Amino acid sequence: GAVVSQHPSRVICKSGTSVKIECRSLDFQATTMFWYRQFPKQSLMLMATSNEGSKATYEQGVEKDKFLINHASLTLSTLTVTSAHPEDSSFYICSASYSGGANEQFFGPGTRLTVL
Amino acid sequence: DAKTTQPPSMDCAEGRAANLPCNHSTISGNEYVYWYRQIHSQGPQYIIHGLKNNETNEMASLIITEDRKSSTLILPHATLRDTAVYYCIVRVAGGNQGGKLIFGQGTELSVKP
């Protein structure tokens, strides 16, 4: 149980275009979803936290107008990188948790974004 | 959330126990200790968590000191597939954000044949 999927697993796009990444909880209802970014040889950096049906809470330094997050249902959150540039190339990882217990987070497999 | 300190890297022989230390001297009474690992180019994988007592599951054991200022993750019989970056994180469980995880640099464990 507690499986999280991401789509696509890899995406290559041209500079200036927008890219949407989907995160789905397959066998549970995720009350909260998180989005992380990881650059090569670095640790995961939390970008934002989203609760179903409400606006995402962004970490300091993360531009909310550039990284649009929609958590429309209890099983789906999307991250849209708008007007992507080469410096946005990174590994984007989502996680999901459900209320109750110690709120473990279950991570997706990640999406490798390359902006040319 | 409290910060953690881990050694940047460790080696372990295949089949032997891997003991990964973590210091969290500023941990609060309501913060849990969580361990995750990340195999290269994959999402992190939950391993184990605990509050005060030692915990064991099919993957590992977690030993938390009585003062809760440090802990050790034990992989009893390390295999080559256990080669990964291991993250020790302390956080409050629950709350309206579900307790966000703040990742440090972790320990890069290399299991060698």
Side-chain angles (χ1 to χ4, degrees):
Chain A
V3 178
V4 176
S5 69
Q6 281 184 243
H7 178 80
S9 57
R10 290 179 178 270
V11 56
I12 300 172
C13 70
K14 293 182 179 179
S15 186
T17 62
S18 295
V19 175
K20 181 185 284 188
I21 302 170
E22 290 186 351
C23 176
R24 293 182 185 272
S25 57
L26 298 184
D27 50 4
F28 67 100
Q29 293 188 324
T31 49
T32 308
M33 287 185 166
F34 304 83
W35 286 95
Y36 297 81
R37 180 169 54 180
Q38 186 175 32
F39 293 108
K41 303 286 187 185
Q42 294 187 24
S43 186
L44 284 79
M45 186 193 79
L46 179 66
M47 299 174 68
T49 303
S50 73
N51 294 292
E52 184 263 341
S54 61
K55 289 184 178 179
T57 301
Y58 290 81
E59 295 297 303
Q60 193 171 10
V62 178
E63 299 174 58
K64 62 180 181 181
D65 294 331
K66 180 168 182 63
F67 299 100
L68 302 178
I69 291 172
N70 187 320
H71 191 167
S73 76
L74 285 172
T75 60
L76 173 64
S77 177
T78 60
L79 168 68
T80 301
V81 183
T82 63
S83 187
H85 289 93
E87 57 265 29
D88 298 323
S89 298
S90 188
F91 192 48
Y92 291 86
I93 307 169
C94 73
S95 70
S97 68
Y98 53 88
S99 58
N103 290 104
E104 305 92 288
Q105 287 185 29
F106 303 95
F107 286 81
T111 296
R112 177 78 57 193
L113 170 64
T114 303
V115 184
L116 302 176
Chain B
D1 290 336
K3 279 194 67 174
T4 63
T5 304
Q6 298 177 252
S9 64
M10 290 182 63
D11 289 342
C12 177
E14 188 178 19
R16 306 296 287 264
N19 297 290
L20 292 91
C22 179
N23 286 323
H24 31 78
S25 58
T26 59
I27 191 170
S28 300
N30 61 347
E31 287 181 315
Y32 287 73
V33 179
Y34 282 77
W35 283 84
Y36 284 80
R37 72 180 182 183
Q38 186 179 26
I39 296 169
H40 183 63
S41 293
Q42 297 183 22
Q45 177 189 23
Y46 165 80
I47 301 173
I48 198 167
H49 74 277
L51 184 62
K52 294 181 186 177
N53 301 320
N54 298 336
E55 302 288 343
T56 295
N57 63 21
E58 63 278 3
M59 289 183 68
S61 295
L62 173 60
I63 309 297
I64 303 174
T65 58
E66 194 169 339
D67 62 8
R68 302 211 320 126
K69 292 185 177 182
S70 65
S71 60
T72 301
L73 178 74
I74 301 173
L75 307 178
H77 306 287
T79 71
L80 299 179
R81 287 176 296 180
D82 292 321
T83 293
V85 179
Y86 287 77
Y87 295 100
C88 168
I89 303 167
V90 293
R91 70 166 173 100
V92 177
N96 60 5
Q97 292 190 343
K100 59 184 181 182
L101 294 170
I102 305 298
F103 285 80
Q105 294 306 307
T107 296
E108 187 166 8
L109 175 69
S110 296
V111 181
K112 301 185 183 297

